Amino acid sequence: MSSTDGETGMRNLKDKATYERLEKDVAAVKNDISALTDQITGVLNDFAGTAQKQARRGYRQARANVDTAVDDISGRGAAAMDAAQDAANGIEESLEDIITRRPLTTVGVALGLGFLIGTAWRR
């Protein structure tokens, strides 16, 4: 019986040592998982911050492009309006000059145009 008790005692020591070793290994794995979780969280936060900065930069660039396009279109529209106004003023001055130089011819042309428009209107 003494040899059986000795074997049981040795087995218990081996089981205790194995159990303690397993506990240490499990604790090490838990620590590694915790460290990995912290690293992944840090990387994801950095990525989110970078993505947010890039989105803001893209928004600012798009806004600047739109503002530039609107300014350009406004400038072109103002230039076209000025050109049309200058042309209208030129035509007005030309007509005034022609009416002043040849009043009878102008009245005759106006009557002829009126007659043509009236004829076309009846049809």
Side-chain angles (χ1 to χ4, degrees), residues 11 13 15-17 21 34 46 48 51-52 63-64 66 77 79 82 84 86 91 96 100 103 110 112 122:
R11 227 184 266 151
L13 285 176
D15 289 343
K16 267 188 180 180
R21 214 177 28 224
S34 176
D46 290 345
Q52 189 175 23
R63 177 73 181 222
V66 167
D82 289 343
D86 289 344
I91 292 171
E96 283 179 15
T100 306
R122 279 193 228 165

Side-chain angles (χ1 to χ4, degrees), residues 93-114:
E93 289 174 5
S94 296
L95 286 175
E96 283 179 15
D97 188 40
I98 291 172
I99 291 171
T100 306
R101 285 189 193 168
R102 300 182 184 155
L104 292 178
T105 306
T106 305
V107 171
V109 169
L111 285 173
L113 283 173

